[in-house]
Amino acid sequence: MLDGKKTLFSGMQATGNLTLGNYLGALKNWVTISDEYQTFFSVVDMHSITVRQDPAELRRRARTLLTLYIAAGLDPEKNCIYYQSHVSGHAELAWILNCFTYMGELNRMTQFKDKAAKHADNINAGLFTYPVLMAADILLYQADVVPVGIDQMQHLELTRDIAIRFNNLYGEVFTVPEAYIGKAGAKIMSLQDPAKKMSKSDENPNGSIYLMDDPDTIIRKFKRAVTDSEACVRYCEEQPGIRNLIDIYCACTGKTPQETEKEFEGKGYGDFKMAVGEAVLSVLKPLQERFADLSKNKDYLDRVIKENAQKAQYFSNKTLRKVQKKVGFPDRIR
Ligand code: TYM
């Protein structure tokens, strides 16, 4: 509890181009609920180097991501928006938590298995302990709530287990966080393969809508989206492509799947795909415009980056000092 409000933490990796899945599954919800909480939104650049990165490109993407947070509607005066690598407590707490996490737990993480298979030439220790750094991110700020898409649930469960384990040993040190999953858009699938999640790292660019795609590209990708031969807009397991398009439509318009089925009763897939494309455009166009404006304002962004890193450092130190004391590190001499 900070300033009488509960605390919210979330983050995104500055890896690849952000997709509509990242926006609808996470960023959009962050904006909706941020007023109710004391918030920390991190650009988790330390997570990004678990996979090989081009340094200049990582720096550029990190700044783009931070700017996008603001463009999406998070006011940096009210929300602490910062780079993970600027706050030393993340790495320090991660080390301590590594000593309270079991190899068996990390071995079960499906994201590790997926990434290890994808990057077989670079299965580094950081990739393996990635979820511990994520736990440190969250526990460092005593977060009550963590808004994420469904794919991060397993990591969040592990975070809770680590927090409970630590609290059982040392008393009530950490707040045990809850996930916040949005009503619509918590798992957006690829437009080319609705069995696969829409992902920044998909080799097929037609499967993902990128937040910076231009209008023609967005409409074209929706026109090409994989559907089925049922010719009926229905929200069901048997029509995963259509179901995914309905999810996207609902997340952008606030309508329910039932309302959407009614709206497109008797209409063909062509009309429906067009409507989904238009709905996405109406959300992404203002975002892109605000992004372009903000990007011109270098001094403003630099000030946000500096001031919010200091703020995050201040709050994170409170937890870190407490944890260091609990595990038996010697007091600092002032
Ligand atoms: P990342 O960067 O892969 O994704 C950022 C957020 O977007 C959500 N997301 C999706 N939601 C719906 N449909 C999709 N297709 C989709 N793809 C991605 C993710 O669930 C996530 O909420 N490990 C995290 C980053 C992280 C983090 C944290 C998150 C590091 N520390 C602490 C929360 C709290 C990750 O790789 O997310």
Side-chain angles (χ1 to χ4, degrees):
M1 197 72 91
L2 294 172
D3 299 338
K5 281 183 173 175
K6 285 192 168 183
T7 306
L8 179 157
F9 181 93
S10 204
M12 276 195 203
Q13 288 204 63
T15 322
N17 285 324
L18 238 59
T19 71
L20 187 63
N22 297 125
Y23 182 70
L24 297 179
L27 192 48
K28 188 165 178 284
N29 296 326
W30 296 2
V31 179
T32 313
I33 62 172
S34 59
D35 275 352
E36 297 164 42
Y37 298 94
Q38 172 86 29
T39 61
F40 296 88
F41 294 112
S42 189
V43 170
V44 294
D45 47 356
M46 288 163 66
H47 281 87
S48 295
I49 63 163
T50 51
V51 171
R52 221 40 98 224
Q53 303 289 335
D54 173 71
E57 187 65 3
L58 177 59
R59 229 184 314 278
R60 192 186 65 76
R61 286 189 197 280
R63 191 161 174 115
T64 297
L65 186 53
L66 187 130
T67 310
L68 266 173
Y69 286 4
I70 305 172
L74 295 170
D75 176 356
E77 305 293 331
K78 294 189 192 143
N79 302 279
C80 186
I81 294 173
Y82 71 99
Y83 294 131
Q84 182 188 33
S85 62
H86 285 189
V87 178
S88 56
H90 290 260
E92 292 180 76
L93 183 61
W95 173 253
I96 296 174
L97 298 183
N98 263 318
C99 304
F100 294 85
T101 308
Y102 298 110
M103 301 284 282
E105 290 177 307
L106 294 175
N107 263 326
R108 283 197 291 276
M109 296 292 121
T110 55
Q111 190 164 309
F112 169 69
K113 290 184 204 163
D114 291 349
K115 287 205 174 168
K118 227 177 191 167
H119 304 277
D121 56 338
N122 181 24
I123 306 176
N124 60 72
L127 192 64
F128 188 62
T129 60
Y130 174 114
V132 184
L133 179 57
M134 180 160 161
D137 299 340
I138 297 167
L139 301 180
L140 201 49
Y141 299 94
Q142 305 287 358
D144 298 276
V145 167
V146 184
V148 282
I150 286 174
D151 63 328
Q152 294 301 316
M153 277 306 285
Q154 197 185 25
H155 290 161
L156 208 73
E157 285 301 324
L158 178 66
T159 302
R160 290 169 55 87
D161 290 346
I162 297 172
I164 292 168
R165 180 172 306 140
F166 198 92
N167 287 351
N168 283 342
L169 285 165
Y170 298 107
E172 292 304 302
V173 177
F174 293 125
T175 303
V176 180
E178 303 274 351
Y180 174 96
I181 304 280
K183 279 192 204 72
K187 194 166 188 196
I188 301 296
M189 311 308 278
S190 158
L191 299 184
Q192 289 298 310
D193 178 0
K196 250 178 35 189
K197 131 183 139 164
M198 185 181 285
S199 160
K200 292 176 234 173
S201 53
D202 196 336
E203 308 83 52
N204 181 353
N206 288 324
S208 301
I209 301 289
Y210 300 109
L211 297 191
M212 292 299 159
D213 275 349
D214 61 65
D216 289 348
T217 308
I218 292 175
I219 297 292
R220 180 175 47 77
K221 286 182 180 176
F222 277 109
K223 278 188 181 161
R224 286 194 191 166
V226 168
T227 51
D228 51 59
S229 53
E230 300 284 321
C232 165
V233 178
R234 208 172 33 194
Y235 194 70
C236 60
E237 299 286 337
E238 296 75 36
Q239 293 177 250
I242 288 294
R243 189 189 160 98
N244 188 39
L245 292 179
I246 295 179
D247 276 334
I248 294 174
Y249 188 68
C250 291
C252 292
T253 59
K255 294 179 183 166
T256 64
Q258 291 68 33
E259 285 165 351
T260 309
E261 284 177 348
K262 257 215 182 94
E263 186 178 345
F264 293 94
E265 215 173 83
K267 295 200 178 133
Y269 285 171
D271 288 348
F272 178 52
K273 285 176 169 182
M274 203 57 202
V276 181
E278 297 286 351
V280 168
L281 271 184
S282 71
V283 172
L284 292 192
K285 214 164 156 261
L287 179 73
Q288 292 178 354
E289 285 165 5
R290 279 195 299 271
F291 176 82
D293 275 351
L294 275 166
S295 302
K296 288 181 209 141
N297 208 337
K298 180 176 180 303
D299 292 347
Y300 168 72
L301 289 174
D302 285 348
R303 185 171 59 78
V304 165
I305 290 166
K306 185 172 168 204
E307 288 178 2
N308 278 328
Q310 287 166 348
K311 188 172 162 196
Q313 185 80 40
Y314 169 79
F315 283 111
S316 60
N317 266 346
K318 288 190 184 189
T319 305
L320 188 65
R321 297 291 171 255
K322 200 163 156 189
V323 173
Q324 288 170 330
K325 196 173 172 120
K326 289 286 183 186
V327 297
F329 293 172
D331 288 336
R332 281 156 200 258
I333 313 292
R334 287 175 203 280

